Amino acid sequence: MTDLQKRLREGSKKLTIRRYAVPVIVLCMLTGIILFGVSLLIERAVNSIIRTDAEHSASRWAEQFDAVLPDLGSMLARGELTAEQQDVVDSATSYSGVFSFLVFDLDGMLAYSSDYGVVDSTEESNFDQSALDVAANEHPFFDIIQREQQSGLTSVYVHAYVPALNKDGTPMAVISLYLEKTRHADAFRTIMNWIGFALPLLSAALYAIPSIAFLAMREKAHARARRAARLSRFDQLTGALNRHTLSVESKQIFANRTADSLTGVIYLDIDKFKNVNDEFGHEFGDAFLRHIASTLMEHVRPFDFVGRMGGDEFVVTLPDIKHANMVHIGQQILFAARQPFEYNGMTIKSSVSMGYILADANVKAKDALRAADLALYHAKSTGRDSLVEYFPELDTAMIRRREVEARMHEAVEKNEFETYFQPIVSPKDNSVLGFETLLRLQSRDGVPISPAEFIPIAEETGIIHDIGCLTLRNAMVTAKTWPDHIFISVNLSPAQFNRGTLVENVSNDLKEFDFPASRLELEVTEGLLMSDEQSVSDQLVGLKSLGVSIAMDDFGTGYSSLGYLWKYDFDKLKIDQIFLEGLDFDQDRYREIIETIVILGHKMGMSVTVEGVETQSQAGILDALNCDHYQGYLYGKPMPADETLAAIARLGSNKTSLTG
């Protein structure tokens, strides 16, 4: 993961925390303020309830006291209690929470105390202004007293002044009561506290639930937005930048570079990645792509940009870099890509090809990318698993390649490929046994384009499939004009096996042209067999089942293997002309090599054709080796279709079978 990706992910986490933290902090602060306010309201409410309850209790107590105390007025007048009155007073403190009371006359002078009995109402110290005020306005007065105990609890008392009334409703005295309200206050306070705390918490919950739901919905929306942003910026399979983002970033780098700085661009793809997918499956291929992307991001600098262009192609943009650093990074990537890769119990060893350019201030981003691509193409065409720096001649080569590619497409569309035929003769009498089909192509101005140039391009672009089908059909059309015993040999490119439809195509052509399969020989090279793919094996077996002959072309020039000859049951070996050329400077050695191949072929039931026979001396040497077929300029150069009948007449024709 690049520093940019890490910063984006960390920033996203911090943003999410901030989104949730701020509302939670605000909610906690609001809840705290509400609880504090509620506690004040609870205290006021409790005091109000206690006051109301005390007023009610004191008034009822005074009324009951006045009602049961015989002749309160006479007591005040005499200044002493009768025995009956004393019994009432003694029992008065046993109910309604009254633990002490005083009786004042209308002048505010204390007349009686439940603690001390009848007192001298003439002493100034017994005067009470509050009692006088209550007697004057006839309204009760209450004072709430709260005292903290050592246990931490709060005792609550009420000191009440209540007027005692005559039967006609006029004031007769004022009674001062001390009421114990601790239990009532605790009960009220408990209830009010529970309600007071429960309601804010419930309100907070009612606020928090939709708020959290809203935040969750908003976070999901932000997550979708972030995912959309990531989708628009990163390749989802590999984590590298996608093509668009890389293009934007690269243009920015090129726009902001200094005049003396160099900007590196690496264009990379995986060698033979299609084979990886075909053999191990697309899941394995995807895992390998992720591995290569991680390898790139691991070995570039933190501020470099790695992007996936599509398929198995990646581009790295490296701002302000020196040539030595560029090569070092490239070599590190090459080395890392060569290491075995294991996934789900399967292991492969692969490689990558890379092209790069160090662009100065005069090179634009798109031109640098094109130059790196050209260098990549050169790396792949010269053996793969390499790092190639762009050089100007690649532009000329690419222009030429595009011209040839365009000409091939045009030639397929207009059937302008020329089919040439070279005789294959019998060594006994030089009579024609068959012809090998060869392709010729001319540019628009009539200049020949060598098969060595256009065939590799056709294979790389995939147009070889169309060319191969066209060649086979044209060969059959021409061969239909020959005597029935003369065969036609057609080369197959390894790329023609890629689609898996070769057997079907050949079968359809044989039926369409009513061409005997026994007169058709198909040539393949050892390069096709190196992949050892099941699809190739199945198609070769399928072609044999049609009745056509299979020849191994250029035997001895590649990785010749007896295993291939046994496995695929070839009908013919074709010895490359390079061995005949060797007769000119080391005749004995090359003669033995040719003889060995001929004996090997015959022992395995195959006929042997020697290519490149150009002199009578060469033919003489081959005659002694018991070769089956000769092919070369000594008997005829490749010729157009309309000259083949004349060649047959000139050389004669031998009714020997295709396999000799």
Side-chain angles (χ1 to χ4, degrees), residues 234-379:
F234 294 100
D235 173 62
Q236 295 307 293
L237 175 62
T238 63
L241 298 176
N242 59 31
R243 187 187 190 110
H244 172 73
T245 305
L246 180 67
S247 176
V248 172
E249 296 289 355
S250 296
K251 288 179 181 178
Q252 190 69 26
I253 290 172
F254 273 75
N256 295 336
R257 60 189 164 165
T258 60
D260 58 346
S261 67
L262 296 175
T263 303
V265 176
I266 297 176
Y267 210 125
L268 171 150
D269 79 357
I270 301 170
D271 295 332
K272 299 182 180 180
F273 180 68
K274 182 181 182 301
N275 294 343
V276 175
N277 268 335
D278 292 344
E279 184 173 353
F280 297 96
H282 288 283
E283 181 182 349
F284 187 96
D286 289 346
F288 190 56
L289 284 173
R290 290 191 292 270
H291 165 69
I292 292 299
S294 298
T295 298
L296 290 174
M297 287 186 268
E298 179 182 351
H299 288 91
V300 299
R301 301 169 302 175
F303 47 86
D304 295 331
F305 291 89
V306 176
R308 183 186 178 203
M309 300 299 285
D312 63 325
E313 295 182 342
F314 294 86
V315 168
V316 184
T317 303
L318 308 97
D320 193 19
I321 191 169
K322 304 299 182 182
H323 186 271
N325 291 342
M326 188 83 174
V327 173
H328 178 68
I329 290 173
Q331 293 296 339
Q332 281 189 318
I333 294 171
L334 280 177
F335 177 79
R338 296 187 191 115
Q339 305 311 304
F341 170 72
E342 191 274 334
Y343 180 77
N344 281 349
M346 297 178 289
T347 304
I348 64 168
K349 289 189 69 174
S350 186
S351 60
V352 298
S353 296
M354 293 188 289
Y356 75 95
I357 183 176
L358 277 173
D360 58 28
N362 297 319
V363 180
K364 297 180 180 178
K366 63 178 182 178
D367 295 330
L369 183 64
R370 183 186 62 82
D373 190 19
L374 288 176
L376 168 63
Y377 174 76
H378 188 69

Side-chain angles (χ1 to χ4, degrees), residues 57-160:
S57 298
S59 297
R60 287 184 58 81
W61 189 92
E63 290 176 0
Q64 293 176 0
F65 183 79
D66 186 32
V68 300
L69 185 66
D71 196 9
L72 177 61
S74 64
M75 183 200 75
L76 295 173
R78 290 194 310 272
E80 60 181 1
L81 297 175
T82 65
E84 182 181 5
Q85 289 175 330
Q86 187 63 51
D87 291 339
V88 171
V89 168
D90 290 341
S91 63
T93 58
S94 64
Y95 65 93
S96 297
V98 176
F99 62 88
S100 176
F101 68 89
L102 304 173
V103 179
F104 292 92
D105 60 22
L106 296 180
D107 295 325
M109 299 301 294
L110 177 63
Y112 182 81
S113 168
S114 61
D115 294 328
Y116 302 106
V118 177
V119 298
D120 185 1
S121 60
T122 61
E123 292 185 9
E124 293 184 2
S125 60
N126 291 330
F127 174 75
D128 191 311
Q129 182 64 45
S130 296
L132 179 63
D133 294 339
V134 170
N137 57 36
E138 301 181 13
H139 291 296
F141 169 77
F142 300 91
D143 184 24
I144 297 176
I145 303 169
Q146 299 190 53
R147 294 175 181 173
E148 292 289 336
Q149 300 178 1
Q150 291 182 352
S151 63
L153 299 178
T154 302
S155 298
V156 180
Y157 306 95
V158 177
H159 187 191

